[in-house]
Amino acid sequence: MRATNIIKIACLGLSAAMLGLFLKESHAPFAQMISLSACLLIIYYSLSRLSSVFTLLETLAGYLAEQKAYYKILLKIIGITYVADFSSNLCRDAGFGAVAGQIEIFGKISILAVSSPIILALLETVYALW
């Protein structure tokens, strides 16, 4: 994926936000439609990129065939990251910044806890080299 793709998506989102803010006071339904349309376009574009993500996951599974536990840990970390980010952003948008911050902290602690076997294996490897 090229860097220009994220620039296009960012420009789409920012343009929709600015246009929505401009129309929010005078034409609120149009502002909502612009927001919804931008969200749908971004979701559609994101879903079209999922095939490359699945290819990456299959490649990682091949590399970690002997270490299935590490592959599961990696998938858990990715899941925790997305769930924590999504839910904290929803809370922040709803005006609950403190709750959003606590979700983020819990997500970071959860990632550390889930990844502890990998950290320990890395430390054991480094210790064995000394």
Side-chain angles (χ1 to χ4, degrees):
M1 184 185 303
R2 297 187 330 241
T4 57
N5 292 332
I6 188 61
I7 293 171
K8 290 177 186 176
I9 294 299
C11 287
L12 171 66
L14 291 173
S15 298
M18 287 189 289
L19 189 57
L21 285 173
F22 178 72
L23 294 175
K24 189 174 186 178
E25 295 297 322
S26 59
H27 298 91
F30 289 120
Q32 292 175 347
M33 291 301 293
I34 289 169
S35 175
L36 180 62
S37 299
C39 287
L40 290 175
L41 283 171
I42 293 171
I43 287 172
Y44 174 77
Y45 192 75
S46 299
L47 290 177
S48 70
R49 297 293 178 180
L50 276 180
S51 64
S52 62
V53 172
F54 288 130
T55 302
L56 172 68
L57 290 175
E58 289 173 5
T59 304
L60 284 174
Y63 286 133
L64 299 173
E66 297 174 9
Q67 303 291 335
K68 292 242 186 237
Y70 293 151
Y71 183 70
K72 288 180 182 178
I73 290 171
L74 179 64
L75 290 179
K76 286 179 185 179
I77 290 171
I78 292 169
I80 290 168
T81 302
Y82 280 109
V83 169
D85 185 56
F86 182 75
S87 58
S88 70
N89 284 332
L90 284 176
C91 289
R92 191 170 282 111
D93 288 345
F96 295 96
V99 175
Q102 295 304 310
I103 291 172
E104 290 171 353
I105 289 171
F106 183 79
K108 292 171 185 176
I109 292 170
S110 297
I111 289 171
L112 183 60
V114 168
S115 65
S116 61
I118 294 175
I119 294 169
L120 291 174
L122 178 63
L123 290 175
E124 289 172 3
T125 303
V126 169
Y127 183 73
L129 292 175
W130 283 350

mmCIF file of all heavy atoms in Angstrom, residues 60-108:
data_model
loop_
_atom_site.group_PDB
_atom_site.id
_atom_site.type_symbol
_atom_site.label_atom_id
_atom_site.label_comp_id
_atom_site.label_asym_id
_atom_site.label_seq_id
_atom_site.Cartn_x
_atom_site.Cartn_y
_atom_site.Cartn_z
ATOM 1 N N LEU A 60 2.510 -14.969 7.627
ATOM 2 C CA LEU A 60 2.973 -15.048 9.016
ATOM 3 C C LEU A 60 2.702 -16.429 9.605
ATOM 4 O O LEU A 60 3.532 -16.965 10.336
ATOM 5 C CB LEU A 60 2.301 -13.987 9.866
ATOM 6 C CG LEU A 60 2.807 -12.565 9.712
ATOM 7 C CD1 LEU A 60 1.935 -11.604 10.509
ATOM 8 C CD2 LEU A 60 4.248 -12.456 10.152
ATOM 9 N N ALA A 61 1.550 -16.994 9.283
ATOM 10 C CA ALA A 61 1.231 -18.333 9.784
ATOM 11 C C ALA A 61 2.220 -19.353 9.247
ATOM 12 O O ALA A 61 2.610 -20.287 9.957
ATOM 13 C CB ALA A 61 -0.196 -18.713 9.399
ATOM 14 N N GLY A 62 2.657 -19.175 8.004
ATOM 15 C CA GLY A 62 3.658 -20.072 7.433
ATOM 16 C C GLY A 62 4.996 -19.951 8.136
ATOM 17 O O GLY A 62 5.660 -20.953 8.415
ATOM 18 N N TYR A 63 5.397 -18.734 8.438
ATOM 19 C CA TYR A 63 6.667 -18.523 9.126
ATOM 20 C C TYR A 63 6.632 -19.036 10.565
ATOM 21 O O TYR A 63 7.631 -19.497 11.092
ATOM 22 C CB TYR A 63 7.045 -17.038 9.154
ATOM 23 C CG TYR A 63 7.529 -16.500 7.834
ATOM 24 C CD1 TYR A 63 7.034 -15.310 7.334
ATOM 25 C CD2 TYR A 63 8.486 -17.175 7.081
ATOM 26 C CE1 TYR A 63 7.465 -14.798 6.127
ATOM 27 C CE2 TYR A 63 8.922 -16.673 5.872
ATOM 28 C CZ TYR A 63 8.417 -15.493 5.400
ATOM 29 O OH TYR A 63 8.849 -14.998 4.206
ATOM 30 N N LEU A 64 5.472 -18.929 11.177
ATOM 31 C CA LEU A 64 5.347 -19.326 12.574
ATOM 32 C C LEU A 64 4.650 -20.678 12.732
ATOM 33 O O LEU A 64 4.014 -20.928 13.760
ATOM 34 C CB LEU A 64 4.580 -18.248 13.351
ATOM 35 C CG LEU A 64 5.226 -16.871 13.393
ATOM 36 C CD1 LEU A 64 4.293 -15.863 14.047
ATOM 37 C CD2 LEU A 64 6.547 -16.927 14.136
ATOM 38 N N ALA A 65 4.784 -21.535 11.722
ATOM 39 C CA ALA A 65 4.099 -22.832 11.758
ATOM 40 C C ALA A 65 4.519 -23.651 12.973
ATOM 41 O O ALA A 65 3.697 -24.330 13.587
ATOM 42 C CB ALA A 65 4.368 -23.599 10.472
ATOM 43 N N GLU A 66 5.787 -23.592 13.318
ATOM 44 C CA GLU A 66 6.275 -24.351 14.458
ATOM 45 C C GLU A 66 5.936 -23.663 15.780
ATOM 46 O O GLU A 66 5.932 -24.294 16.825
ATOM 47 C CB GLU A 66 7.784 -24.545 14.356
ATOM 48 C CG GLU A 66 8.197 -25.360 13.145
ATOM 49 C CD GLU A 66 9.709 -25.418 12.982
ATOM 50 O OE1 GLU A 66 10.419 -24.977 13.903
ATOM 51 O OE2 GLU A 66 10.156 -25.901 11.938
ATOM 52 N N GLN A 67 5.693 -22.395 15.748
ATOM 53 C CA GLN A 67 5.411 -21.613 16.949
ATOM 54 C C GLN A 67 3.994 -21.043 16.888
ATOM 55 O O GLN A 67 3.791 -19.837 16.843
ATOM 56 C CB GLN A 67 6.433 -20.483 17.094
ATOM 57 C CG GLN A 67 7.861 -20.919 17.146
ATOM 58 C CD GLN A 67 8.170 -21.664 18.435
ATOM 59 O OE1 GLN A 67 7.511 -21.474 19.441
ATOM 60 N NE2 GLN A 67 9.165 -22.525 18.394
ATOM 61 N N LYS A 68 3.011 -21.913 16.888
ATOM 62 C CA LYS A 68 1.614 -21.467 16.787
ATOM 63 C C LYS A 68 1.217 -20.544 17.933
ATOM 64 O O LYS A 68 0.382 -19.668 17.770
ATOM 65 C CB LYS A 68 0.689 -22.676 16.748
ATOM 66 C CG LYS A 68 0.819 -23.500 15.503
ATOM 67 C CD LYS A 68 -0.465 -23.488 14.767
ATOM 68 C CE LYS A 68 -0.354 -24.440 13.592
ATOM 69 N NZ LYS A 68 -0.619 -23.782 12.360
ATOM 70 N N ALA A 69 1.821 -20.737 19.098
ATOM 71 C CA ALA A 69 1.495 -19.882 20.244
ATOM 72 C C ALA A 69 1.846 -18.427 19.943
ATOM 73 O O ALA A 69 1.095 -17.518 20.316
ATOM 74 C CB ALA A 69 2.229 -20.360 21.485
ATOM 75 N N TYR A 70 2.965 -18.192 19.272
ATOM 76 C CA TYR A 70 3.358 -16.821 18.938
ATOM 77 C C TYR A 70 2.386 -16.200 17.940
ATOM 78 O O TYR A 70 2.078 -15.009 18.015
ATOM 79 C CB TYR A 70 4.777 -16.781 18.386
ATOM 80 C CG TYR A 70 5.841 -17.136 19.397
ATOM 81 C CD1 TYR A 70 7.034 -17.709 19.007
ATOM 82 C CD2 TYR A 70 5.657 -16.892 20.754
ATOM 83 C CE1 TYR A 70 8.015 -18.031 19.930
ATOM 84 C CE2 TYR A 70 6.627 -17.209 21.685
ATOM 85 C CZ TYR A 70 7.804 -17.777 21.271
ATOM 86 O OH TYR A 70 8.765 -18.090 22.183
ATOM 87 N N TYR A 71 1.913 -16.996 17.008
ATOM 88 C CA TYR A 71 0.954 -16.505 16.023
ATOM 89 C C TYR A 71 -0.352 -16.109 16.710
ATOM 90 O O TYR A 71 -0.918 -15.059 16.428
ATOM 91 C CB TYR A 71 0.709 -17.572 14.957
ATOM 92 C CG TYR A 71 -0.215 -17.145 13.853
ATOM 93 C CD1 TYR A 71 0.186 -16.192 12.929
ATOM 94 C CD2 TYR A 71 -1.488 -17.681 13.728
ATOM 95 C CE1 TYR A 71 -0.659 -15.786 11.912
ATOM 96 C CE2 TYR A 71 -2.336 -17.291 12.713
ATOM 97 C CZ TYR A 71 -1.912 -16.351 11.810
ATOM 98 O OH TYR A 71 -2.747 -15.947 10.809
ATOM 99 N N LYS A 72 -0.813 -16.928 17.647
ATOM 100 C CA LYS A 72 -2.036 -16.605 18.386
ATOM 101 C C LYS A 72 -1.852 -15.341 19.214
ATOM 102 O O LYS A 72 -2.763 -14.511 19.297
ATOM 103 C CB LYS A 72 -2.431 -17.774 19.286
ATOM 104 C CG LYS A 72 -2.959 -18.961 18.530
ATOM 105 C CD LYS A 72 -3.327 -20.085 19.474
ATOM 106 C CE LYS A 72 -3.806 -21.298 18.701
ATOM 107 N NZ LYS A 72 -4.134 -22.422 19.590
ATOM 108 N N ILE A 73 -0.686 -15.200 19.812
ATOM 109 C CA ILE A 73 -0.401 -14.001 20.600
ATOM 110 C C ILE A 73 -0.429 -12.767 19.706
ATOM 111 O O ILE A 73 -0.993 -11.729 20.071
ATOM 112 C CB ILE A 73 0.950 -14.133 21.334
ATOM 113 C CG1 ILE A 73 0.842 -15.170 22.445
ATOM 114 C CG2 ILE A 73 1.412 -12.791 21.891
ATOM 115 C CD1 ILE A 73 2.161 -15.538 23.080
ATOM 116 N N LEU A 74 0.165 -12.873 18.537
ATOM 117 C CA LEU A 74 0.173 -11.759 17.589
ATOM 118 C C LEU A 74 -1.248 -11.360 17.201
ATOM 119 O O LEU A 74 -1.590 -10.166 17.179
ATOM 120 C CB LEU A 74 0.993 -12.112 16.343
ATOM 121 C CG LEU A 74 1.085 -11.061 15.262
ATOM 122 C CD1 LEU A 74 1.812 -9.830 15.786
ATOM 123 C CD2 LEU A 74 1.798 -11.618 14.049
ATOM 124 N N LEU A 75 -2.093 -12.334 16.925
ATOM 125 C CA LEU A 75 -3.483 -12.033 16.570
ATOM 126 C C LEU A 75 -4.234 -11.402 17.743
ATOM 127 O O LEU A 75 -5.034 -10.477 17.555
ATOM 128 C CB LEU A 75 -4.203 -13.294 16.104
ATOM 129 C CG LEU A 75 -3.755 -13.851 14.753
ATOM 130 C CD1 LEU A 75 -4.528 -15.110 14.423
ATOM 131 C CD2 LEU A 75 -3.918 -12.815 13.654
ATOM 132 N N LYS A 76 -3.968 -11.877 18.962
ATOM 133 C CA LYS A 76 -4.599 -11.275 20.135
ATOM 134 C C LYS A 76 -4.173 -9.823 20.305
ATOM 135 O O LYS A 76 -4.991 -8.954 20.621
ATOM 136 C CB LYS A 76 -4.243 -12.061 21.392
ATOM 137 C CG LYS A 76 -4.966 -13.380 21.507
ATOM 138 C CD LYS A 76 -4.541 -14.104 22.769
ATOM 139 C CE LYS A 76 -5.147 -15.486 22.851
ATOM 140 N NZ LYS A 76 -4.713 -16.202 24.062
ATOM 141 N N ILE A 77 -2.893 -9.557 20.106
ATOM 142 C CA ILE A 77 -2.392 -8.185 20.236
ATOM 143 C C ILE A 77 -3.058 -7.270 19.215
ATOM 144 O O ILE A 77 -3.482 -6.156 19.535
ATOM 145 C CB ILE A 77 -0.855 -8.156 20.095
ATOM 146 C CG1 ILE A 77 -0.204 -8.816 21.316
ATOM 147 C CG2 ILE A 77 -0.339 -6.737 19.902
ATOM 148 C CD1 ILE A 77 1.281 -9.041 21.173
ATOM 149 N N ILE A 78 -3.172 -7.745 17.982
ATOM 150 C CA ILE A 78 -3.831 -6.946 16.943
ATOM 151 C C ILE A 78 -5.287 -6.693 17.321
ATOM 152 O O ILE A 78 -5.793 -5.566 17.207
ATOM 153 C CB ILE A 78 -3.717 -7.646 15.573
ATOM 154 C CG1 ILE A 78 -2.268 -7.652 15.103
ATOM 155 C CG2 ILE A 78 -4.611 -6.969 14.538
ATOM 156 C CD1 ILE A 78 -2.010 -8.537 13.898
ATOM 157 N N GLY A 79 -5.980 -7.719 17.799
ATOM 158 C CA GLY A 79 -7.380 -7.564 18.199
ATOM 159 C C GLY A 79 -7.549 -6.599 19.346
ATOM 160 O O GLY A 79 -8.436 -5.732 19.326
ATOM 161 N N ILE A 80 -6.710 -6.724 20.359
ATOM 162 C CA ILE A 80 -6.784 -5.814 21.511
ATOM 163 C C ILE A 80 -6.562 -4.377 21.059
ATOM 164 O O ILE A 80 -7.264 -3.451 21.483
ATOM 165 C CB ILE A 80 -5.750 -6.208 22.586
ATOM 166 C CG1 ILE A 80 -6.145 -7.524 23.248
ATOM 167 C CG2 ILE A 80 -5.602 -5.107 23.633
ATOM 168 C CD1 ILE A 80 -5.054 -8.126 24.112
ATOM 169 N N THR A 81 -5.595 -4.183 20.178
ATOM 170 C CA THR A 81 -5.287 -2.840 19.701
ATOM 171 C C THR A 81 -6.478 -2.209 18.997
ATOM 172 O O THR A 81 -6.852 -1.058 19.291
ATOM 173 C CB THR A 81 -4.080 -2.882 18.738
ATOM 174 O OG1 THR A 81 -2.969 -3.456 19.416
ATOM 175 C CG2 THR A 81 -3.722 -1.504 18.236
ATOM 176 N N TYR A 82 -7.096 -2.942 18.084
ATOM 177 C CA TYR A 82 -8.223 -2.381 17.339
ATOM 178 C C TYR A 82 -9.444 -2.161 18.223
ATOM 179 O O TYR A 82 -10.113 -1.127 18.115
ATOM 180 C CB TYR A 82 -8.585 -3.268 16.143
ATOM 181 C CG TYR A 82 -7.671 -3.030 14.973
ATOM 182 C CD1 TYR A 82 -6.736 -3.979 14.594
ATOM 183 C CD2 TYR A 82 -7.730 -1.848 14.243
ATOM 184 C CE1 TYR A 82 -5.885 -3.765 13.529
ATOM 185 C CE2 TYR A 82 -6.887 -1.618 13.178
ATOM 186 C CZ TYR A 82 -5.964 -2.582 12.823
ATOM 187 O OH TYR A 82 -5.134 -2.355 11.767
ATOM 188 N N VAL A 83 -9.763 -3.095 19.108
ATOM 189 C CA VAL A 83 -10.925 -2.933 19.977
ATOM 190 C C VAL A 83 -10.721 -1.751 20.926
ATOM 191 O O VAL A 83 -11.628 -0.925 21.117
ATOM 192 C CB VAL A 83 -11.214 -4.238 20.755
ATOM 193 C CG1 VAL A 83 -12.240 -4.006 21.852
ATOM 194 C CG2 VAL A 83 -11.690 -5.323 19.807
ATOM 195 N N ALA A 84 -9.540 -1.652 21.525
ATOM 196 C CA ALA A 84 -9.270 -0.549 22.453
ATOM 197 C C ALA A 84 -9.316 0.791 21.729
ATOM 198 O O ALA A 84 -9.895 1.761 22.241
ATOM 199 C CB ALA A 84 -7.918 -0.747 23.131
ATOM 200 N N ASP A 85 -8.721 0.862 20.554
ATOM 201 C CA ASP A 85 -8.710 2.117 19.805
ATOM 202 C C ASP A 85 -10.118 2.523 19.394
ATOM 203 O O ASP A 85 -10.526 3.678 19.571
ATOM 204 C CB ASP A 85 -7.794 1.982 18.581
ATOM 205 C CG ASP A 85 -7.648 3.282 17.832
ATOM 206 O OD1 ASP A 85 -7.242 4.288 18.451
ATOM 207 O OD2 ASP A 85 -7.955 3.301 16.620
ATOM 208 N N PHE A 86 -10.871 1.579 18.859
ATOM 209 C CA PHE A 86 -12.232 1.872 18.399
ATOM 210 C C PHE A 86 -13.116 2.319 19.560
ATOM 211 O O PHE A 86 -13.801 3.351 19.474
ATOM 212 C CB PHE A 86 -12.819 0.629 17.711
ATOM 213 C CG PHE A 86 -14.197 0.834 17.169
ATOM 214 C CD1 PHE A 86 -14.401 1.565 16.019
ATOM 215 C CD2 PHE A 86 -15.292 0.279 17.811
ATOM 216 C CE1 PHE A 86 -15.687 1.762 15.517
ATOM 217 C CE2 PHE A 86 -16.566 0.463 17.324
ATOM 218 C CZ PHE A 86 -16.768 1.203 16.169
ATOM 219 N N SER A 87 -13.095 1.573 20.655
ATOM 220 C CA SER A 87 -13.968 1.909 21.773
ATOM 221 C C SER A 87 -13.545 3.209 22.460
ATOM 222 O O SER A 87 -14.397 4.004 22.874
ATOM 223 C CB SER A 87 -14.037 0.754 22.777
ATOM 224 O OG SER A 87 -12.757 0.438 23.256
ATOM 225 N N SER A 88 -12.243 3.452 22.572
ATOM 226 C CA SER A 88 -11.815 4.707 23.194
ATOM 227 C C SER A 88 -12.170 5.903 22.322
ATOM 228 O O SER A 88 -12.551 6.961 22.851
ATOM 229 C CB SER A 88 -10.314 4.685 23.499
ATOM 230 O OG SER A 88 -9.552 4.732 22.324
ATOM 231 N N ASN A 89 -12.072 5.750 21.014
ATOM 232 C CA ASN A 89 -12.475 6.848 20.126
ATOM 233 C C ASN A 89 -13.969 7.133 20.229
ATOM 234 O O ASN A 89 -14.392 8.293 20.202
ATOM 235 C CB ASN A 89 -12.085 6.561 18.680
ATOM 236 C CG ASN A 89 -10.615 6.772 18.435
ATOM 237 O OD1 ASN A 89 -9.968 7.571 19.102
ATOM 238 N ND2 ASN A 89 -10.070 6.045 17.481
ATOM 239 N N LEU A 90 -14.782 6.077 20.344
ATOM 240 C CA LEU A 90 -16.223 6.282 20.507
ATOM 241 C C LEU A 90 -16.521 7.016 21.812
ATOM 242 O O LEU A 90 -17.339 7.944 21.843
ATOM 243 C CB LEU A 90 -16.965 4.946 20.491
ATOM 244 C CG LEU A 90 -17.154 4.287 19.136
ATOM 245 C CD1 LEU A 90 -17.827 2.927 19.301
ATOM 246 C CD2 LEU A 90 -17.989 5.167 18.222
ATOM 247 N N CYS A 91 -15.847 6.609 22.880
ATOM 248 C CA CYS A 91 -16.056 7.282 24.167
ATOM 249 C C CYS A 91 -15.610 8.734 24.101
ATOM 250 O O CYS A 91 -16.293 9.630 24.621
ATOM 251 C CB CYS A 91 -15.302 6.549 25.275
ATOM 252 S SG CYS A 91 -16.017 4.963 25.710
ATOM 253 N N ARG A 92 -14.477 8.982 23.467
ATOM 254 C CA ARG A 92 -13.970 10.351 23.360
ATOM 255 C C ARG A 92 -14.932 11.219 22.539
ATOM 256 O O ARG A 92 -15.206 12.364 22.901
ATOM 257 C CB ARG A 92 -12.577 10.338 22.729
ATOM 258 C CG ARG A 92 -11.874 11.675 22.829
ATOM 259 C CD ARG A 92 -10.413 11.599 22.436
ATOM 260 N NE ARG A 92 -9.655 11.014 23.541
ATOM 261 C CZ ARG A 92 -9.084 9.801 23.521
ATOM 262 N NH1 ARG A 92 -9.175 9.046 22.449
ATOM 263 N NH2 ARG A 92 -8.427 9.331 24.552
ATOM 264 N N ASP A 93 -15.459 10.662 21.443
ATOM 265 C CA ASP A 93 -16.410 11.416 20.625
ATOM 266 C C ASP A 93 -17.705 11.700 21.370
ATOM 267 O O ASP A 93 -18.356 12.717 21.120
ATOM 268 C CB ASP A 93 -16.732 10.654 19.333
ATOM 269 C CG ASP A 93 -15.573 10.660 18.350
ATOM 270 O OD1 ASP A 93 -14.641 11.461 18.531
ATOM 271 O OD2 ASP A 93 -15.603 9.848 17.411
ATOM 272 N N ALA A 94 -18.068 10.821 22.294
ATOM 273 C CA ALA A 94 -19.283 11.022 23.077
ATOM 274 C C ALA A 94 -19.054 11.981 24.243
ATOM 275 O O ALA A 94 -19.989 12.303 24.972
ATOM 276 C CB ALA A 94 -19.802 9.675 23.593
ATOM 277 N N GLY A 95 -17.810 12.431 24.426
ATOM 278 C CA GLY A 95 -17.515 13.379 25.480
ATOM 279 C C GLY A 95 -17.009 12.757 26.768
ATOM 280 O O GLY A 95 -16.954 13.430 27.791
ATOM 281 N N PHE A 96 -16.652 11.491 26.721
ATOM 282 C CA PHE A 96 -16.152 10.796 27.905
ATOM 283 C C PHE A 96 -14.656 10.524 27.752
ATOM 284 O O PHE A 96 -14.213 9.384 27.613
ATOM 285 C CB PHE A 96 -16.926 9.488 28.120
ATOM 286 C CG PHE A 96 -18.369 9.695 28.441
ATOM 287 C CD1 PHE A 96 -19.335 9.634 27.457
ATOM 288 C CD2 PHE A 96 -18.759 9.992 29.733
ATOM 289 C CE1 PHE A 96 -20.663 9.844 27.747
ATOM 290 C CE2 PHE A 96 -20.094 10.199 30.045
ATOM 291 C CZ PHE A 96 -21.055 10.124 29.045
ATOM 292 N N GLY A 97 -13.878 11.596 27.787
ATOM 293 C CA GLY A 97 -12.434 11.495 27.589
ATOM 294 C C GLY A 97 -11.738 10.683 28.666
ATOM 295 O O GLY A 97 -10.783 9.953 28.387
ATOM 296 N N ALA A 98 -12.206 10.789 29.914
ATOM 297 C CA ALA A 98 -11.575 10.037 31.000
ATOM 298 C C ALA A 98 -11.771 8.537 30.807
ATOM 299 O O ALA A 98 -10.846 7.748 31.022
ATOM 300 C CB ALA A 98 -12.151 10.476 32.343
ATOM 301 N N VAL A 99 -12.965 8.145 30.395
ATOM 302 C CA VAL A 99 -13.233 6.725 30.139
ATOM 303 C C VAL A 99 -12.379 6.244 28.969
ATOM 304 O O VAL A 99 -11.805 5.154 29.005
ATOM 305 C CB VAL A 99 -14.732 6.487 29.860
ATOM 306 C CG1 VAL A 99 -14.998 5.040 29.477
ATOM 307 C CG2 VAL A 99 -15.568 6.876 31.066
ATOM 308 N N ALA A 100 -12.258 7.074 27.939
ATOM 309 C CA ALA A 100 -11.436 6.727 26.783
ATOM 310 C C ALA A 100 -9.988 6.497 27.204
ATOM 311 O O ALA A 100 -9.349 5.538 26.766
ATOM 312 C CB ALA A 100 -11.511 7.828 25.727
ATOM 313 N N GLY A 101 -9.478 7.361 28.046
ATOM 314 C CA GLY A 101 -8.105 7.207 28.530
ATOM 315 C C GLY A 101 -7.916 5.922 29.311
ATOM 316 O O GLY A 101 -6.890 5.246 29.177
ATOM 317 N N GLN A 102 -8.897 5.568 30.125
ATOM 318 C CA GLN A 102 -8.800 4.331 30.906
ATOM 319 C C GLN A 102 -8.861 3.098 30.009
ATOM 320 O O GLN A 102 -8.176 2.108 30.259
ATOM 321 C CB GLN A 102 -9.908 4.280 31.959
ATOM 322 C CG GLN A 102 -9.787 5.353 33.012
ATOM 323 C CD GLN A 102 -8.432 5.328 33.706
ATOM 324 O OE1 GLN A 102 -7.971 4.293 34.160
ATOM 325 N NE2 GLN A 102 -7.777 6.474 33.755
ATOM 326 N N ILE A 103 -9.667 3.158 28.952
ATOM 327 C CA ILE A 103 -9.707 2.046 27.998
ATOM 328 C C ILE A 103 -8.346 1.886 27.334
ATOM 329 O O ILE A 103 -7.856 0.761 27.159
ATOM 330 C CB ILE A 103 -10.819 2.264 26.947
ATOM 331 C CG1 ILE A 103 -12.195 2.136 27.596
ATOM 332 C CG2 ILE A 103 -10.677 1.277 25.786
ATOM 333 C CD1 ILE A 103 -13.340 2.526 26.693
ATOM 334 N N GLU A 104 -7.730 3.004 26.959
ATOM 335 C CA GLU A 104 -6.413 2.938 26.329
ATOM 336 C C GLU A 104 -5.369 2.355 27.272
ATOM 337 O O GLU A 104 -4.541 1.535 26.865
ATOM 338 C CB GLU A 104 -5.993 4.323 25.851
ATOM 339 C CG GLU A 104 -6.805 4.818 24.681
ATOM 340 C CD GLU A 104 -6.552 6.269 24.340
ATOM 341 O OE1 GLU A 104 -5.820 6.962 25.095
ATOM 342 O OE2 GLU A 104 -7.090 6.725 23.325
ATOM 343 N N ILE A 105 -5.402 2.771 28.537
ATOM 344 C CA ILE A 105 -4.450 2.231 29.518
ATOM 345 C C ILE A 105 -4.667 0.736 29.693
ATOM 346 O O ILE A 105 -3.706 -0.047 29.706
ATOM 347 C CB ILE A 105 -4.570 2.975 30.863
ATOM 348 C CG1 ILE A 105 -4.020 4.390 30.719
ATOM 349 C CG2 ILE A 105 -3.847 2.227 31.977
ATOM 350 C CD1 ILE A 105 -4.274 5.278 31.920
ATOM 351 N N PHE A 106 -5.936 0.316 29.819
ATOM 352 C CA PHE A 106 -6.219 -1.104 29.975
ATOM 353 C C PHE A 106 -5.771 -1.892 28.746
ATOM 354 O O PHE A 106 -5.240 -2.997 28.867
ATOM 355 C CB PHE A 106 -7.709 -1.339 30.239
ATOM 356 C CG PHE A 106 -8.034 -2.778 30.489
ATOM 357 C CD1 PHE A 106 -7.778 -3.343 31.725
ATOM 358 C CD2 PHE A 106 -8.571 -3.564 29.485
ATOM 359 C CE1 PHE A 106 -8.065 -4.674 31.959
ATOM 360 C CE2 PHE A 106 -8.856 -4.892 29.709
ATOM 361 C CZ PHE A 106 -8.603 -5.457 30.951
ATOM 362 N N GLY A 107 -5.953 -1.315 27.554
ATOM 363 C CA GLY A 107 -5.499 -1.976 26.334
ATOM 364 C C GLY A 107 -3.989 -2.167 26.322
ATOM 365 O O GLY A 107 -3.487 -3.236 25.957
ATOM 366 N N LYS A 108 -3.253 -1.159 26.758
ATOM 367 C CA LYS A 108 -1.791 -1.259 26.802
ATOM 368 C C LYS A 108 -1.331 -2.300 27.811
ATOM 369 O O LYS A 108 -0.410 -3.084 27.532
ATOM 370 C CB LYS A 108 -1.179 0.106 27.122
ATOM 371 C CG LYS A 108 -1.359 1.110 26.005
ATOM 372 C CD LYS A 108 -0.936 2.498 26.417
ATOM 373 C CE LYS A 108 -1.249 3.491 25.320
ATOM 374 N NZ LYS A 108 -0.950 4.869 25.698
#
